[in-house]
């Protein structure tokens, strides 16, 4: 199939483009490069040994999106393009609501106009809010604490309503847990601008000596060692999850957790990183970070049952691959 991948130059999108090409699909990337680099496109082509079409386009611009659908016979859309910094979304909410929701609506509108019935959407485990673990797709969603999370909940809702009204429209809403790691080539990976907010990129910067030490946000949570527990998933497994979702789309909107089902605490992750890479990661315990929850991990059984997909890589591999990328990466 010819798949339009919005945000395909980004962290998860670039790994997914490779998985799509390796599965025999062809790929059109639409990305405005607001949080990614053009040279990632060349790296995708090198790794997959296959061509991609790259369009530097803002997918909130309706005319630009229309031109894509008019010029290419698109069979399906994977919509990654979005802004994702939680703290920033509190400071500039309108930018987040506009970018993340308008892009979803414009793409859905183009799909309707051009008769494209396959749509895969990047959602997040953040839509569960502070629920009881493990998070399962049938749970009632709780409010998130920030505009970013709301854009994901609202986009899910919009796509679900469209699918309910147009039964031929098949949508997979993929709720990612915590993506980490990088392609085993070390060529592409997660490269956030400025000081990272998320744990793994912060740890790799400390290991590299760019940051002095990790601040562990709280050690008084009701968890195995008091630090926050998350379901870290290798980005390569996540990428495969998209191929599986696309191959198994069915009429209507369907939600899938993409996680491992395993919880790992902050200190367990630090220990795994040190062990995988034989590098010390200095840390100190500081106060809890506002908005954080104690534990977040998936019940991943639905994706296994319906998509035939499970995550394969363990936490040591995630730490090794994250480090392989970071140590060669020039900011
Ligand atoms: P990323 O920032 O690396 O990739 C997003 C890409 O979208 C970037 O290349 C950016 O330039 C592009 N983009 C943003 N707005 C655009 C627009 N209007 N038009 C065209 N391109 C645009 O982020 P990522 O980690 O790869 O995340 C991909 C998606 O998955 C996002 O929707 C994100 O919210 C979601 N998600 C990410 C995580 C995570 O931890 N990384 C977790 C859950 C959900
Ligand atoms: C964050 C987002 C969430 C998003 C997810 C994507 C917040 C509040 N939530 O989730 O919406 O979907 O990223 O991956 O930002 N930690 C430290 N020190 C650090 C960084 C993190 O101790 O410097 C801890 C956190 O307290 C948490 C764990 O590490 O317990 C993971 O944090 P992070 O990587 O930021 O992800 P989430 O908080 O799960």
């Amino acid at each position: 199939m010819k798949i339009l991948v919005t945000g395909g130059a980004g962290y998860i999108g670039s790994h997914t483009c490779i998985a799509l090409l390796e599965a025999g699909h062809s790929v059109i990337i639409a990305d405005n490069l607001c949080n990614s680099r053009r040279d990632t496109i060349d790296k995708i082509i090198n790794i997959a040994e296959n061509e991609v079409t790259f369009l530097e386009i803002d997918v909130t611009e309706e005319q630009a999106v229309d031109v894509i659908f008019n010029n290419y016979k698109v069979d399906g859309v994977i919509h990654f393009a979005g802004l994702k910094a939680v703290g920033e979304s509190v400071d500039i909410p309108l930018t987040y609501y506009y970018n993340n929701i308008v892009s979803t609506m414009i793409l859905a509108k183009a799909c309707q106009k051009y008769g494209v019935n396959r749509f895969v959407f990047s959602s997040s485990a953040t839509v569960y809010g502070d629920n009881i673990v493990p998070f399962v797709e049938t749970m009632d969603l709780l409010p998130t604490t920030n505009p970013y999370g709301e854009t994901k909940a609202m986009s899910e809702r919009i796509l679900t309503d469209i699918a309910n009204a147009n039964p031929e429209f098949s949508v997979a809403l993929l709720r990612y847990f915590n993506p980490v790691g990088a392609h085993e080539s070390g060529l592409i990976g997660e490269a956030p601008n400025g000081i990272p907010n998320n744990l793994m990129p912060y740890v790799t910067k400390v290991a590299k000596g760019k940051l002095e030490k990790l601040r562990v946000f709280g050690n008084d949570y009701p968890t195995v060692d008091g630090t926050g527990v998350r379901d870290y998933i290798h980005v390569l497994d996540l990428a495969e999850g998209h191929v599986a979702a696309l191959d198994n789309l069915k009429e209507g909107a369907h939600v899938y957790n993409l996680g491992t089902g395993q919880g790992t605490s902050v200190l367990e992750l630090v220990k795994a990183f040190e062990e995988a890479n034989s590098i010390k990661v200095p840390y100190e315990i500081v106060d809890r970070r506002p908005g954080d929850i104690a534990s977040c991990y998936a019940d991943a059984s639905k994706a296994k049952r319906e998509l035939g997909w499970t995550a394969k890589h363990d936490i040591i591999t995630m730490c090794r691959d994250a480090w392989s990328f970071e140590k060669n990466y020039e900011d």
Side-chain angles (χ1 to χ4, degrees):
M1 287 188 283
K2 193 183 274 297
I3 307 301
L4 172 63
V5 183
T6 75
Y11 173 45
I12 306 169
S14 58
H15 290 84
T16 302
C17 286
I18 292 168
L20 288 167
L21 292 166
E22 287 174 348
H25 298 294
S26 66
V27 165
I28 304 166
I29 295 176
D31 198 306
N32 64 0
L33 303 179
C34 70
N35 196 36
S36 50
R37 292 167 30 163
R38 185 181 287 271
D39 64 5
T40 301
I41 307 295
D42 302 326
K43 291 176 181 168
I44 294 169
I45 292 169
N46 285 343
I47 294 169
E49 295 178 351
N50 230 313
E51 281 307 313
V52 301
T53 303
F54 173 58
L55 306 168
E56 191 174 338
I57 273 172
D58 185 328
V59 292
T60 63
E61 287 177 15
E62 190 166 2
Q63 270 191 331
V65 169
D66 200 80
V67 168
I68 308 177
F69 282 77
N70 205 8
N71 285 346
Y72 300 91
K73 202 203 141 297
V74 173
D75 296 303
V77 175
I78 306 185
H79 180 29
F80 290 104
L83 300 173
K84 63 165 183 176
V86 172
E88 188 180 64
S89 79
V90 176
D91 297 335
I92 47 169
L94 181 56
T95 304
Y96 271 68
Y97 283 115
Y98 191 86
N99 195 70
N100 291 6
I101 294 176
V102 170
S103 60
T104 302
M105 292 197 294
I106 283 177
L107 288 160
K109 199 171 163 191
C111 283
Q112 287 205 325
K113 179 171 171 192
Y114 290 91
V116 176
N117 287 321
R118 299 184 185 90
F119 201 101
V120 176
F121 177 67
S122 297
S123 189
S124 166
T126 199
V127 299
Y128 288 109
D130 197 358
N131 248 305
I132 296 162
V133 284
F135 296 165
V136 60
E137 291 88 344
T138 47
M139 278 177 160
D140 287 335
L141 303 185
L142 296 178
T144 66
T145 51
N146 56 77
Y148 165 74
E150 293 305 301
T151 68
K152 292 297 172 190
M154 286 179 197
S155 288
E156 281 197 9
R157 181 67 199 269
I158 290 167
L159 291 167
T160 303
D161 287 344
I162 296 171
N164 287 342
N166 302 274
E168 70 287 355
F169 192 53
S170 303
V171 182
L173 305 169
L174 305 182
R175 294 182 182 155
Y176 311 155
F177 283 68
N178 289 54
V180 295
H183 191 265
E184 62 264 15
S185 63
L187 290 175
I188 56 169
E190 188 174 14
N193 294 326
I195 298 176
N197 294 308
N198 295 118
L199 180 62
M200 185 66 94
Y202 203 104
V203 166
T204 58
K205 291 272 186 246
V206 172
K208 206 175 183 180
K210 296 268 181 190
L211 293 168
E212 192 196 340
K213 59 184 159 187
L214 172 70
R215 289 168 307 141
V216 175
F217 298 138
N219 67 348
D220 57 352
Y221 287 107
T223 62
V224 58
D225 56 19
T227 65
V229 164
R230 297 291 184 272
D231 185 339
Y232 298 97
I233 173 169
H234 199 299
V235 68
L236 293 177
D237 284 326
L238 200 56
E240 291 299 336
H242 290 75
V243 179
L246 194 65
D247 288 346
N248 292 284
L249 276 171
K250 52 186 182 187
E251 288 184 354
H254 302 272
V255 181
Y256 298 99
N257 285 341
L258 295 185
T260 65
Q262 299 286 319
T264 304
S265 76
V266 177
L267 292 182
E268 285 171 341
L269 185 131
V270 168
K271 194 158 160 271
F273 189 92
E274 292 184 334
E275 198 183 309
N277 301 309
S278 306
I279 297 181
K280 274 275 165 222
V281 178
Y283 69 85
E284 64 174 334
I285 308 288
V286 300
D287 286 347
R288 290 180 176 194
R289 179 172 66 178
D292 270 358
I293 60 175
S295 294
C296 168
Y297 54 89
D299 175 329
S301 57
K302 185 180 178 194
K304 183 176 183 185
R305 206 168 51 241
E306 296 191 11
L307 307 178
W309 170 90
T310 45
K312 296 192 177 61
H313 296 87
D314 62 12
I315 195 83
I316 294 282
T317 312
M318 298 181 214
C319 291
R320 190 197 63 204
D321 291 345
W323 177 234
S324 301
F325 172 71
E326 180 64 42
K327 70 181 176 203
N328 297 320
Y329 181 77
E330 282 177 39
D331 287 306

